[in-house]
Amino acid sequence: MFRLILPSLLALVPVALAAPPSPMQADQKDPSKPPKVYVVPLGLDGKGQMGADIHSSIYEKVVKDIQDKKPDLLVLSLDSAERGRREYSGAERDSLGERGVNNSEDLRKLLALFKKDVGDVPQVMWVQDSVGFGTLLAFAWPNMYTKSDARLGGLAKVSLQAKSNDREVERKWLAAAMSIANGCLESGGHPTVIGTAMMDPERMLSVSFKGRKFDWTGDRNGTFLIDGDPSRVANFDARTAEDFGLSDGTADSLDDVMFMLGYRAYDDTLVKGGQDGTKIVGDYIAAWRKAWEDSQASFGEYERMASSGDPKELVKARKALEAVQGAMERFPAVELRWRMKGLSKPQVEGLLKQLKEKAKPAKGGSRGGGGGMGR
């Protein structure tokens, strides 16, 4: 099914001023046909924890689906804001458990899936909202659009993770962390001086215009001062990202994105039929979060039963703990959540070993002590 686009006012002005056709059209195998679009959610409906909701394990399945369905264009929709807006409080993503992790190995794997394994399918990044490590993903694509209320920041976490009592150690850790993170900006064709200023509060950032191009510098000497405060990092929103050329424009709907790319119609068969990545990612997020809730209940049952001397209760405790272990093995996201609470896979294995020892008949008919998280 072809969808004809009636663009919003947000999209009309940028396209009216645009000169050459989008590079997406140049890359399309048959530019004369409306492109078949496939949406890839990177986070969905406010659930976009890096390392959990956004993890390479599920996107391996998404990429396989893309290879099977052969769309003409990928729209990567990023929704990864672990810090809420001022107007609401107590939201789920404001909790410690919703904060993302900087897993550079998984990030590299995730980028490789779309940069290499997908092949030559044109791709565009569409940022719904991004505060935290997800912002590295936003900058990893050269063609980026943002929703009108999107944020683009939160990378101060990189420097916070490098904190150490030893200033020299901290300096080396920060340099290494920023080098890895800036690889995402390089992948998207953005100057690393921007990433550095977004990660390290001591770095400044300003920009000047050279014709139609932007000249970014890590000092206060540019025409526009982005960040001159040594106590904070640089952050952007939809407006500043567009004003300073980081995004290609503001788009509040998929229609807006396609119109700004230069299309007056597109094939939305996969999108409207639920046959793009939305269902795959949505089902995964629902599944791992359900497994996380169930594993917490199972661990509570283990804690209640583990102190018993009754062999039947100890069997129940072992089964409950094995359920936690199984959830960790099925979903890296569940393992991440447990590690954030102070319980690792090796610790679970140790607790299971303790239960087996406790279940053995002891000399004199007595049994050993109970277990726990060891906190």
Side-chain angles (χ1 to χ4, degrees), residues 32-280:
S32 66
K33 292 174 55 180
K36 183 188 294 184
V37 177
Y38 188 108
V39 175
V40 180
L42 297 164
L44 189 64
D45 297 330
K47 296 180 174 66
Q49 184 181 17
M50 286 292 292
D53 300 305
I54 303 174
H55 190 275
S56 63
S57 59
I58 186 59
Y59 292 101
E60 289 174 348
K61 296 181 181 179
V62 171
V63 167
K64 177 63 168 62
D65 192 54
I66 292 168
Q67 292 169 338
D68 290 343
K69 291 175 178 171
K70 298 179 173 57
D72 300 305
L73 176 66
L74 300 184
V75 176
L76 293 94
S77 173
L78 176 64
D79 187 357
S80 181
E82 61 190 56
R83 186 171 70 245
R85 302 177 190 276
R86 290 181 181 178
E87 59 263 27
Y88 71 80
S89 59
E92 185 180 27
R93 69 173 112 174
D94 283 326
S95 69
L96 287 173
E98 290 293 324
R99 295 184 181 177
V101 297
N102 187 17
N103 184 336
S104 57
E105 181 179 348
D106 192 69
L107 181 59
R108 280 194 293 263
K109 188 173 182 180
L110 183 59
L111 290 178
L113 284 170
F114 290 100
K115 300 279 187 174
K116 297 179 181 178
D117 295 4
V118 162
D120 59 356
V121 182
Q123 304 173 33
V124 59
M125 172 62 66
W126 182 27
V127 181
Q128 314 295 307
D129 200 16
S130 183
V131 180
F133 295 121
T135 299
L136 296 174
L137 284 175
F139 279 104
W141 272 261
N143 297 101
M144 182 209 302
Y145 294 87
T146 63
K147 286 193 71 173
S148 57
D149 61 348
R151 296 167 293 173
L152 202 60
L155 293 180
K157 295 184 66 175
V158 174
S159 58
L160 291 175
Q161 284 194 328
K163 287 293 182 184
S164 170
N165 293 327
D166 187 320
R167 179 60 180 167
E168 183 61 20
V169 170
E170 179 177 329
R171 185 186 65 79
K172 291 179 179 179
W173 282 356
L174 179 58
M178 288 196 302
S179 176
I180 294 171
N182 270 330
C184 291
L185 279 87
E186 291 176 325
S187 178
H190 301 287
T192 58
V193 66
I194 299 173
T196 299
M198 294 182 74
M199 291 180 256
D200 186 352
E202 295 182 5
R203 304 296 184 94
M204 298 182 185
L205 184 66
S206 63
V207 62
S208 301
F209 291 96
K210 285 191 174 181
R212 291 180 175 269
K213 296 183 179 180
F214 297 89
D215 182 26
W216 295 88
T217 56
D219 52 38
R220 302 169 61 96
N221 299 328
T223 305
F224 297 93
L225 181 62
I226 306 298
D227 174 26
D229 186 345
S231 66
R232 68 178 182 87
V233 297
N235 290 300
F236 297 90
D237 57 22
R239 180 175 179 177
T240 55
E242 182 176 2
D243 286 347
F244 297 113
L246 300 178
S247 82
D248 297 321
T250 303
D252 280 341
S253 68
L254 183 58
D255 281 1
D256 288 347
V257 172
M258 298 304 297
F259 190 82
M260 296 184 76
L261 287 172
Y263 297 105
R264 300 302 183 268
Y266 64 96
D267 185 342
D268 64 350
T269 304
L270 298 178
V271 177
K272 295 201 75 172
Q275 300 175 54
D276 60 0
T278 304
K279 177 172 172 51
I280 298 173

